[in-house]
Amino acid sequence: MSGPQKFLTLISKPSKTRTALSWGIGLAMAAKWIYDSEQANPYFFSEAPTLIGTPKAREWAPEDMQSWNANIVSKDEQISWKAAPDQSRWTKQ
């Protein structure tokens, strides 16, 4: 049997090899679709994934945090905390 003949036999008759081939192709297509989707608009990761190189983690901007807080509670209702001034109780006397 030649190469094209074997391929036609593989895809025309039900077999475990054909099932494995179809699952492999399906998973590869799903992985490519997810990868492209993440490149365009990161959802699962905090940044767009890369196949090579070291990814650089993204930091959250304070403006983002303030806008998220404002969406939950208005600015005048938010509770803020400020550190107490340095006190001498932590130093030796």
Side-chain angles (χ1 to χ4, degrees), residues 64-74 78:
D64 289 341
M65 298 296 246
Q66 290 172 358
S67 69
W68 293 333
N69 287 342
N71 288 335
I72 297 171
V73 177
S74 65
Q78 291 180 11

Side-chain angles (χ1 to χ4, degrees), residues 10-85:
L10 174 66
I11 62 170
S12 64
K13 293 183 181 177
S15 66
K16 288 185 179 184
T17 306
R18 187 179 83 169
T19 302
L21 179 66
S22 65
W23 273 99
I25 291 171
L27 290 174
M29 289 172 63
K32 175 69 172 145
W33 176 59
I34 291 170
Y35 180 79
D36 289 343
S37 172
E38 284 294 310
Q39 286 288 331
N41 185 16
Y43 180 75
F44 292 110
F45 305 102
S46 63
E47 61 185 22
T50 59
L51 291 178
I52 57 173
T54 305
K56 294 178 175 56
R58 179 176 74 99
E59 292 183 10
W60 290 356
E63 297 83 25
D64 289 341
M65 298 296 246
Q66 290 172 358
S67 69
W68 293 333
N69 287 342
N71 288 335
I72 297 171
V73 177
S74 65
K75 185 71 174 170
D76 57 337
E77 293 176 359
Q78 291 180 11
I79 299 172
S80 61
W81 176 82
K82 293 183 181 175

